Amino acid sequence: MLAALTKAEIIDRFKAAPVTQLDGLVQVYGDCPADMRRDFQLPVASFASDVCRRLYAAGNRKPVKFREAGIIIRIGDVRTNLTDVVARPATRDGGEKFTRIYLPSPSGADLRKLRLEIVRAFYRAVDGIDLDDEGATKKLRESDPVTRVEDIQSEVAAWRERGEYAAGKTDEDYLKLMRGVHLPGVATKADVMTFASRLFLYPELHSAPFCGRYRSCSFRDAIALVSEDPAVRLAAYLKIQPLMLFGQGHGDRMNGAVEAYAKFLAELARCKLPREDLVKLLDDADEKLKGVLEE
């Protein structure tokens, strides 16, 4: 390749300064003409730095300062859509691990492969550990709020539906996960379904069922039972606070649904409204909950 370049082009490439970001962790060189460096050097550096920032954030860590780059990316001069991403782990004389990544064609590089190699390079440089593809994929998903929530909800579903436990986790761990807000301001389908599963009333004492025969009842059934058993009114009142705490934090639509159910429960506990009005309040709350996931 060098034989095909003019002396001026060779000098230009050798003199071209790298783009360094994220406290020296990421460094991008351009083994390519000036126009390709202008088009790709900064975007590639920003791409790699963004991946690393999310990894820092996922671990609640502050960026570490690097005297020498831990992730060195070189972009080549191939202008066709060559997808190759070539990673070469290395170790400096002082024992510091770093990784060289080469993109022959910066415009055609496989972005999924590049992300994984950046993740692996990050953990080599920052923590001195080597990850396989499975481990790098897990770390990458944990660094993205959406995929992280998907994985948490999948794990909770496996525990709830099939009794499967991840290593080291207990029932209390999963109950905490169910109560948590993992993606603030957003209600996923799993969030809505889990909330809907809690729309039941239970007697304060297991030995004292509603009306002497019901161990639980839905909110709609409670409308018919509230005049028969004062314990239904107490259960409705006691349900308001935990329902508000459990349902809030998932966005305006979800908050609206939660508040509508709280209003219904408050009126059910007061037992002053006619049955028809209580039904209307519950219908309104149900419609709001159905609308949470609508576009």
Side-chain angles (χ1 to χ4, degrees):
M1 182 185 69
L2 288 175
L5 299 175
T6 67
K7 183 178 180 180
E9 288 171 331
I10 294 173
I11 293 173
D12 176 64
R13 294 191 185 190
F14 274 113
K15 291 176 64 177
V19 172
T20 303
Q21 292 190 352
L22 202 53
D23 291 320
L25 172 61
V26 175
Q27 201 165 60
V28 179
Y29 291 84
D31 293 333
C32 54
D35 65 316
M36 292 186 70
R37 292 199 298 270
R38 286 194 299 271
D39 289 341
F40 296 110
Q41 201 171 2
L42 182 57
V44 169
S46 297
F47 178 87
S49 297
D50 287 345
V51 172
C52 294
R53 285 191 185 93
R54 289 196 296 270
L55 295 172
Y56 274 130
N60 292 317
R61 297 190 289 182
K62 293 182 179 180
V64 178
K65 291 187 180 296
F66 281 80
R67 183 174 57 84
E68 294 182 274
I71 304 173
I72 300 173
I73 303 175
R74 292 185 177 273
I75 57 177
D77 58 3
V78 178
R79 296 182 186 271
T80 56
N81 291 330
L82 186 63
T83 62
D84 293 16
V85 176
V86 183
R88 294 287 184 266
T91 304
R92 294 191 171 95
D93 292 339
E96 302 91 353
K97 291 184 176 182
F98 70 103
T99 305
R100 296 186 180 94
I101 299 175
Y102 180 53
L103 310 178
S105 171
S107 63
D110 183 335
L111 293 183
R112 181 183 178 279
K113 173 68 172 173
L114 179 56
R115 282 191 187 93
L116 285 181
E117 292 300 347
I118 291 170
V119 172
R120 289 154 66 101
F122 173 89
Y123 282 98
R124 289 192 85 252
V126 176
D127 293 332
I129 61 176
D130 293 282
L131 299 175
D132 57 17
D133 284 349
E134 182 180 354
T137 299
K138 182 179 179 181
K139 293 293 187 182
L140 183 61
R141 290 183 66 83
E142 288 174 353
S143 72
D144 182 279
V146 175
T147 54
R148 176 174 174 271
V149 170
E150 289 175 355
D151 290 345
I152 289 174
Q153 292 177 340
S154 177
E155 187 179 324
V156 170
W159 166 75
R160 188 173 55 200
E161 298 168 11
R162 300 187 295 277
E164 297 177 5
Y165 291 78
K169 280 197 170 66
T170 65
D171 290 333
E172 184 59 31
D173 293 324
Y174 285 110
L175 290 172
K176 287 180 180 179
L177 287 174
M178 288 180 64
R179 292 192 294 267
V181 178
H182 305 292
L183 194 58
V186 176
T188 66
K189 184 177 180 180
D191 290 330
V192 175
M193 296 303 294
T194 301
F195 177 81
S197 72
R198 303 175 80 89
L199 301 181
F200 289 85
L201 296 180
Y202 299 90
E204 188 174 16
L205 298 175
H206 184 71
S207 59
F210 296 137
C211 303
R213 57 187 185 278
Y214 299 113
R215 300 292 181 186
S216 66
C217 68
S218 67
F219 285 3
R220 198 163 295 276
D221 290 338
I223 295 173
L225 300 178
V226 69
S227 59
E228 295 184 38
D229 189 346
V232 176
R233 296 176 60 187
L234 176 61
Y237 174 75
L238 294 176
K239 188 75 173 183
I240 296 172
Q241 185 176 17
L243 202 66
M244 292 286 286
L245 291 173
F246 184 81
Q248 295 283 354
H250 297 287
D252 292 341
R253 287 187 181 183
M254 187 71 171
N255 289 346
V258 174
E259 290 166 4
Y261 282 113
K263 181 178 180 181
F264 161 75
L265 290 170
E267 292 299 337
L268 186 68
R270 289 179 65 244
C271 202
K272 299 292 185 181
L273 293 180
R275 180 177 299 185
E276 295 77 12
D277 289 345
L278 289 173
V279 169
K280 288 180 181 178
L281 288 175
L282 183 56
D283 286 343
D284 177 61
D286 286 345
E287 285 301 313
K288 283 183 167 63
L289 186 62
K290 290 177 182 177
V292 169
L293 297 177
E294 293 178 357
E295 296 295 335

